[in-house]
Amino acid sequence: MGYVKETFRAKADEQVKEIKSLLEQHGNKSLGEVTIAQAYQGMRGIPGLITETSLLDSNEGIRFRGFSIPELRQKLPKAEGGKEPLPEGLFYLMLIGEVPTQEDVDHISATWARRSHVPNHVFDVIESLPISTHPMTQFCVAVLALQTESKFAKAYTEGISKKQHWDYVYEDTMTLIARLPRIAAYIYRRKYKNGDHIQPDGMLDWSANFAHMMGFNNDSFKELMRLYLTIHADHEGGNVSAHATHLVGSALSDPYLSFAAGMTGLAGPLHGLANQEVIRWIEEMCAELNTQQPSKEQIAEYIKKTLAEGKVVPGYGHAVLRKTDPRFTAQMEFAKTHCPEDPIVQTVWNVYEVAPPILENTGKIKNPWPNVDAHSGALLKHYGLVEEDFYTVLFGVSRALGVLASLCWDRALGFPLERPKSMTTEWIKEFVAKETVA
Ligand code: NMX
Ligand code: MLT
């Protein structure tokens, strides 16, 4: 067993004991009541999930094992000469709960490089899809095709004890994460670069190798990828991709099947596809106004028009956050250093000035501030990754780190099948009638 895996097992053993004692002493304590409105309105705020890897505060934003994004940018190991954190380090932090050393991060980079070989049948499956297929659909199909490699599925069929589940889920997690950049880059080069593929470079870190395989060798683009793949990795457990992965994993579907479920959720426009939608919205605005850089007045009018047409302003609003997303701020800081004059970047910043009061004035949007997706596309466009249909695949490669680290924890802690209670409106009506009489 490798030392990261051994450390994880030791941490999980301690946590199992702690949870056992918590449940024995406090298992009957209530975490709060559930209102009828919450049941109808997407279960907002109902505390019903345990996710160890990160925790979201509606005003402060995300903390990964207690560390905010600015702290991660400071504390996590970097590539030689780089300033942005290596996502390998965030994976270690989420899995183990401690800030890794440079050696830990190098160990994970090397492990993933060693496991990155994608079997040919996965490429054949991708090739069988029409080239017009959306990259997120190609990505989901490819992850499912890779499921043939699941060690967990094989071991379960052969008969393993529940105590061994975590071990095989850990192995699948490491292999799947290792292979995702190759699959994503293959889809990118197939769809947009005439199938002119680029072989991996095993000497590079996970993000730099991904950038290289997509065809981008600029050092500051590699830095952007390190930042991007770090900040999109996790957003506690209730978001659609994390929850879907956890839910499907609770049926003991293997990590490939569980992650594919998360990715089909990420592909929705209210979730990860919003990064594509933001850029489309900006480009449509520019085309309609016949300008590269609309004025703040023009942007304000366009936002009002979008709302009047009954559409969402993509990149704004959030189910939990009530302030500017710190992931937006991190990208804004990156842009200030690397590309402050870029016209799309400047438009993103102008939208940030203009949109919040307009959204707030509607009186119904709970969070008028930008989320992570409001900024990412502008940075990618700046470096020449202009095909916005592909942007959610980048989000997906990053999200694997959080949801799969969580899946390892789910199995190590022996979490059961997830199965909440549902009701009919008839049941609710009868319940209300009884309550009113009583
Ligand atoms: N533009 C227009 N209307 C909005 C927006 C927005 N950006 N955000 C919320 N609303 C509407 C929402 O549709 C709802 O309308 P109605 O009552 O007519 O159904 C009303 O405001 C109240 O919604 P909230 O309670 O503020 O937000 P909710 O928690 O339901 O939804 C989002 C959260 C993220 C789905 C929503 O803000 C949204 O659709 N934003 C735009 C899409 C987006 O950027 N998604 C990315 C989220 C981050 N990610 O990567 O996943
Ligand atoms: C995410 O990163 O998953 C999004 O911000 C959505 C969420 O947290 O609900």
Side-chain angles (χ1 to χ4, degrees):
M1 196 157 55
Y3 81 91
V4 177
K5 189 170 164 184
E6 271 176 44
T7 315
F8 170 60
R9 180 65 262 173
K11 292 276 176 192
D13 284 345
E14 281 171 33
Q15 187 82 333
V16 166
K17 278 192 213 136
E18 262 194 83
I19 292 173
K20 193 162 176 272
S21 131
L22 257 175
L23 288 175
E24 276 165 10
Q25 293 177 51
H26 306 288
N28 288 328
K29 290 208 169 114
S30 170
L31 286 172
E33 64 169 25
V34 178
T35 64
I36 292 174
Q38 283 175 306
Y40 275 101
Q41 290 164 358
M43 298 194 284
R44 293 291 182 287
I46 299 178
L49 283 170
I50 301 294
T51 303
E52 306 287 6
T53 46
S54 65
L55 187 68
L56 184 59
D57 178 275
S58 52
N59 289 312
E60 256 207 355
I62 194 72
R63 280 186 181 268
F64 302 83
R65 298 285 192 174
F67 295 101
S68 66
I69 289 194
E71 286 166 352
L72 288 188
R73 288 179 87 186
Q74 214 191 354
K75 287 184 197 298
L76 288 180
K78 322 273 186 298
E80 215 179 306
K83 290 203 170 102
E84 299 301 339
L86 287 162
E88 287 90 326
L90 177 62
F91 177 77
Y92 184 98
L93 176 68
M94 290 190 289
L95 189 75
I96 305 292
E98 286 168 14
V99 176
T101 62
Q102 188 72 48
E103 194 194 347
D104 296 327
V105 164
D106 291 346
H107 175 80
I108 292 187
S109 280
T111 307
W112 290 350
R114 216 171 40 248
R115 290 190 187 204
S116 64
H117 175 75
V118 174
N120 277 338
H121 75 270
V122 175
F123 300 128
D124 294 344
V125 169
I126 296 173
E127 290 296 341
S128 73
L129 295 168
I131 196 92
S132 58
T133 310
H134 192 279
M136 268 311 270
T137 309
Q138 298 196 38
F139 188 59
C140 296
V141 168
V143 170
L144 286 173
L146 195 59
Q147 189 266 349
T148 50
E149 308 308 293
S150 174
K151 296 259 193 296
F152 177 84
K154 187 165 180 289
Y156 194 86
T157 307
E158 285 165 2
I160 46 167
S161 121
K162 189 177 176 187
K163 285 196 159 40
Q164 294 170 288
H165 288 173
W166 74 272
D167 188 331
Y168 295 95
V169 166
Y170 176 92
E171 291 302 331
D172 279 354
T173 288
M174 295 302 268
T175 304
L176 175 52
I177 293 174
R179 293 175 179 180
L180 288 175
R182 174 81 169 114
I183 289 174
Y186 188 93
I187 293 167
Y188 181 74
R189 303 287 304 179
R190 170 184 191 238
K191 191 163 168 79
Y192 307 112
K193 304 289 169 190
N194 296 319
D196 179 12
H197 296 291
I198 300 171
Q199 288 307 309
D201 178 345
M203 299 312 286
L204 297 173
D205 59 82
W206 192 65
S207 318
N209 188 33
F210 186 20
H212 157 78
M213 288 187 286
M214 285 190 290
F216 296 88
N217 286 305
N218 175 312
D219 281 342
S220 63
F221 182 79
K222 287 180 182 159
E223 279 285 273
L224 173 65
M225 277 296 101
R226 293 177 187 120
L227 176 66
Y228 186 105
L229 297 174
T230 298
I231 63 177
H232 287 78
D234 210 30
H235 220 229
E236 72 169 29
N239 69 73
V240 171
S241 50
H243 191 187
T245 306
H246 165 81
L247 170 69
V248 172
S250 85
L252 297 187
S253 303
D254 62 62
Y256 296 84
L257 299 175
S258 307
F259 177 63
M263 290 302 98
T264 54
L266 192 74
L270 296 189
H271 191 19
L273 201 77
N275 59 6
Q276 161 192 308
E277 297 298 291
V278 166
I279 282 298
R280 288 228 169 117
W281 180 85
I282 290 178
E283 289 186 344
E284 277 165 19
M285 169 170 62
C286 292
E288 202 172 303
L289 298 168
N290 199 18
T291 172
Q292 282 286 347
Q293 241 180 310
S295 67
K296 288 181 194 163
E297 292 71 28
Q298 286 176 311
I299 293 172
E301 285 313 307
Y302 198 77
I303 292 171
K304 287 179 194 158
K305 177 173 173 280
T306 304
L307 293 173
E309 287 169 351
K311 298 181 196 160
V312 295
V313 176
Y316 280 75
H318 200 272
V320 181
L321 281 167
R322 296 294 174 256
K323 287 270 164 72
T324 297
D325 191 332
R327 299 173 297 179
F328 176 91
T329 312
Q331 295 178 86
M332 192 169 176
E333 282 168 8
F334 186 95
K336 279 182 184 160
T337 310
H338 295 270
C339 48
E341 305 302 334
D342 186 288
I344 306 184
V345 166
Q346 294 209 346
T347 298
V348 164
W349 295 350
N350 286 336
V351 176
Y352 183 31
E353 275 191 42
V354 168
I358 300 173
L359 299 180
E360 191 147 38
N361 278 340
T362 64
K364 70 166 185 179
I365 300 172
K366 294 192 191 71
N367 178 36
W369 301 104
N371 59 57
V372 67
D373 298 318
H375 210 309
S376 52
L379 282 166
L380 296 166
K381 285 265 169 183
H382 172 78
Y383 286 101
L385 208 170
V386 295
E387 302 87 355
E388 65 267 7
D389 287 21
F390 188 73
Y391 293 170
T392 312
V393 175
L394 296 175
F395 194 157
V397 171
S398 170
R399 188 48 57 100
L401 302 177
V403 301
L404 292 172
S406 274
L407 203 63
C408 291
W409 275 99
D410 291 349
R411 298 289 76 78
L413 299 177
F415 283 171
L417 179 84
E418 190 175 292
R419 204 318 188 173
K421 175 83 188 104
S422 72
M423 291 106 3
T424 60
T425 298
E426 206 46 44
W427 187 98
I428 297 278
K429 277 164 43 191
E430 282 168 24
F431 171 80
V432 171
K434 272 191 236 150
E435 288 283 301
T436 318
V437 170

